[in-house]
Amino acid sequence: MAPLCTSTTIPFLLILLIHSVHSPAAAFYLPGSYPQRYRPGDTLAAKVNSLTSPSSKLPYPYYSLPFCTPQDGVRHAAESLGELLLGDRIETSPYRFSMLNNTTPLFLCRTGPLAPHTAELIKSRIDDAYQVNLLLDTLPVMRYVKNPIAPDVLLRSTGFPVGVRADDGEYYVYNHLKLTVLVNLQNGTTRVETLMATADGAELISFNGGKEGGGYAVVGFEVVPCSVDHDAAAVKDKNMYDEIASKAAAGCDPSVVGMRVQDNRSLVFSYEVTFVESSIEWPSRWDAYLEMGGAKVHWFSILNSIVVVAFLAAIVLVILLRTVRRDLAQYEELGSESGAQADELAGWKLVAGDVFREPSHPVLLCVLVGDGVRILGMGVVTIVFAALGFMSPACRGALVTGMLCFYLVLGVAAGYTAVAVWKAVRQGDIAGWKSVAWRASFAFPGVGFAVFTVLNCVLWYNGSTGAVPFLLFLVILLMWFFVSVPLTLAGGLIASRVRHIEFPVKTNKIARQVPAAQCSPWVFVAVAGTLPFGTLFIELFFIMSSLWLGRVYYVFGFLLVVLALLVTVCAEVSVVLTYMGLCVEDWRWWWRAFFASGSVALYILGYAVYYLLFDLHSLAGPVSAALYVGYSLLMALAVMLATGAVGLGASFCFVHYLFSTVKLD
């Protein structure tokens, strides 16, 4: 099978794009791989992923617990860069079954007597609610349980618990799996193959059923885990995949437990499988996993944000169309009269000679803006590709891989922006642009890499699969130095040779004294972050749930709209506060414009604390807390840089336009 995530991705995506443009009604969702078809009797092999837990953020290898191993040994599946960064470790499993062949309970293996430390390890994994994650044809296994509040409603989740702690305090392991495979009969050629054939790519399609005939495609994978007390003596001479007679296994009632975790006691594992023909089409098989719910909440968030945007836009229009034009008319009228009348001028017109004065710490400001543009560009491009369906969950880790690649390539934008702002601030003087470009290539990447290194060492120490392997760690370091840094310097070089932005007014040699303010302007800057935060806080809840509770986030269309509204609100807030500062004759607007929109990061940090206390109250251990705090701080810093760059850019355009209409003698 040739997965879509391989080298055929780009041409195939181009074909999809052209096809969707010319025939939008025929467009379809392609979740990331070609349909693999099976004939009756063909072998299917399930795989296993890392053990994960909603309360502990440390994934562990599946075979860190005494589970059954394949007869031919454990082999690692090919993993992408994103999978490794996310802590996925996909390996082969002993679960084998044949297409359309239902089985009775089959013996899998019998472990040796559990050593005390092994029994304690299993119990600790059960206490931390660790989940077993099986995969079949890239589909995670799904479990349905009754809602205790509404018994008629089924709750679904991927994976199943390692075991359960009973009311009597004893621990029981789920050692028998009742697996259900949903299959769909593929009649003839699918639209995927038809589309590929139009591009002379039909030979790329391959499936186990051959080119003639339809075959069956896997469209669902479900599990009912049970704890069955197998008779160890009865299975003593059994080989793997032999049938076993067990009334308890045949019933498989999840509410009844039997296989207790006890020192010096062996565990017996078994499974059974049932094939069910389903009407679910192969392109729709991920719908059950991607259906997040809460569509009304998303729409409410967007409508709420639109109201905020419209309100701020009205304020900006009033400033530009009424207040500014009125002030300009009065300025021109007084400027043509006597000097005594000109003394009656007040407000932003008096700071024309200082408004473009170089801000304090200009290098730092340029570096932060450059990194902010880079992060914003990475976010926009990634969300656009994800919204178009090019980063499917079937390609595990594709989203993280895409983000990393886009971030590296957009080093050009970071270097160009940082040096361009530097030249503008210095009014065309390019001296020192190399230092600015170098710092832009090391500022945020350096902070992010430092946090990543510390947390990775913590994961290494705890033996978690979330730790990035040392070789990949070196690869990331090399990509930073040999891809990101050169591209950032190249962007700076281009900006150094481009004509700088000229200011419409000249700067006085002596700075004008800023009048004392009754209230610190930074109070307004801090409060201004509430408006951008109000635009994204509902969507932030779903994103945090995806990051820390293992829920799937795939409503990137909503996220794209929210991002556009966020950028608009940040620009409007910064413009309004900049104008307010200039009206009180305070010309120091550069940093305030950056933090007016960037202060949303403070509220994101506050929300992260709230989420930790009320939604992640079951978070176990200081290591999980350290991971949460570290990555939350890094996320807030990235948001501050991106939104701050938007605010500064919008304010610069506003101030440049405003004073370009002023004529000085």
Side-chain angles (χ1 to χ4, degrees), residues 368-369 371-379 383 403 407 444 529 532-533 536-537 540 543-544 547 559 563 566-567 570 593-605 608 631-648:
L368 295 183
V369 173
D371 283 333
V373 169
R374 184 187 208 176
I375 294 170
L376 180 63
M378 176 199 67
I383 294 173
M403 290 177 63
Y407 184 81
F444 181 77
F533 180 74
L536 60 83
F537 85 96
L540 185 61
I543 294 174
M544 297 287 281
L547 291 174
L559 186 59
L563 179 61
L566 175 64
V567 170
C570 288
F594 181 86
F595 286 112
S597 53
S599 61
V600 65
L602 295 176
Y603 298 92
I604 291 179
L605 281 178
Y631 286 124
S632 295
L633 289 173
L634 198 59
M635 179 179 66
L637 178 60
V639 172
M640 184 197 73
L641 295 178
T643 54
V646 171
L648 183 63

Side-chain angles (χ1 to χ4, degrees), residues 380-463:
V380 171
V381 176
T382 303
I383 294 173
V384 167
F385 272 82
L388 293 176
F390 292 165
M391 294 181 179
S392 166
C395 295
R396 305 181 68 87
L399 189 66
V400 176
T401 304
M403 290 177 63
L404 182 60
C405 293
F406 293 143
Y407 184 81
L408 293 174
V409 173
L410 288 172
V412 176
Y416 183 90
T417 304
V419 175
V421 175
W422 171 254
K423 286 182 63 179
V425 168
R426 302 283 294 180
Q427 301 185 25
D429 184 9
I430 65 172
W433 73 267
K434 294 181 181 179
S435 175
V436 173
W438 272 106
R439 296 184 185 187
S441 64
F442 284 94
F444 181 77
V447 174
F449 194 80
V451 173
F452 170 75
T453 302
V454 172
L455 297 180
N456 199 57
C457 291
V458 173
L459 293 172
W460 268 339
Y461 179 78
N462 287 272

Side-chain angles (χ1 to χ4, degrees), residues 5 14 315 350 413 429 456 505 530 550 557 596 623 640:
C5 311
L14 292 176
I315 296 178
L350 294 177
D429 184 9
N456 199 57
V505 293
T530 57
V623 176
M640 184 197 73

Side-chain angles (χ1 to χ4, degrees), residues 21-66:
V21 170
H22 290 284
S23 304
F28 59 94
Y29 168 67
L30 185 66
S33 60
Y34 303 138
Q36 182 169 359
R37 299 178 181 178
Y38 302 89
R39 288 188 178 279
D42 286 348
T43 301
L44 289 85
K47 298 179 180 179
V48 293
N49 202 349
S50 301
L51 302 175
T52 57
S53 169
S55 59
S56 176
K57 300 309 169 186
L58 299 176
Y60 288 102
Y62 174 82
Y63 291 106
S64 62
L65 295 182

